[in-house]
Amino acid sequence: MNLLKTIQLILSLVIVLHISGQVAVKKRGPVTGLYRITEVADTNFHLLKVGDIIEISSTKGFVHHRKGKLLHHYKMKPTTIITKRVAPCIFPPCPEFKDTIPAFYVEAMKRIIMISDLSSKSYLNITEARHDVHTAQIPQAVPIHLGCVMKKIKIKKNPTNTH
């Protein structure tokens, strides 16, 4: 019985530390960059194809190139979305967490896009904008879909001459 109480105490401590750690996280902006599409996962939207180049920027918006030609140029608004998740626990009620995710709202597409950058790949996630963009709350019934897998393109900077 003491082992069970010890485990409960440790889990409670971990949850409290995790919650207090989340409060201290500084606000971050949406991920931006230049990407090449390597895999297309979206079967509903049909906007992107393998090999396309997209640029996501707070100033330029969503710029889409295919075979060197500009296909689309959408304006975007930086926003955040709030998703809820329930932490696993042994005894209910389990703690709920709200995650604030930086994203872009593309009004012309009626979609919210989010990019996750990893060291080897990046992911473009899409959700329909069937919610109030101003409150940034996504109903649990609205799924977030993987749109595509991308590779970030590094822009080579011109070396400056110091002569």
Side-chain angles (χ1 to χ4, degrees), residues 3-21:
L3 180 62
L4 184 61
K5 287 184 180 182
T6 304
I7 290 172
Q8 287 177 327
L9 180 62
I10 291 172
L11 285 174
S12 299
L13 182 61
V14 167
I15 290 170
V16 167
L17 289 174
H18 184 69
I19 291 171
S20 64

Side-chain angles (χ1 to χ4, degrees), residues 89-132:
C89 65
I90 298 172
F91 301 105
C94 299
E96 276 191 7
F97 296 99
K98 289 184 178 180
D99 295 322
T100 303
I101 303 168
F104 284 110
Y105 174 60
V106 185
E107 189 172 359
M109 294 189 278
K110 302 287 190 244
R111 301 284 191 269
I112 291 184
I113 60 171
M114 299 146 280
I115 296 180
S116 304
D117 268 344
L118 300 177
S119 60
S120 62
K121 316 178 178 185
S122 300
Y123 300 93
L124 180 114
N125 297 301
I126 302 169
T127 185
E128 291 182 34
R130 291 188 296 181
H131 66 285
D132 185 0

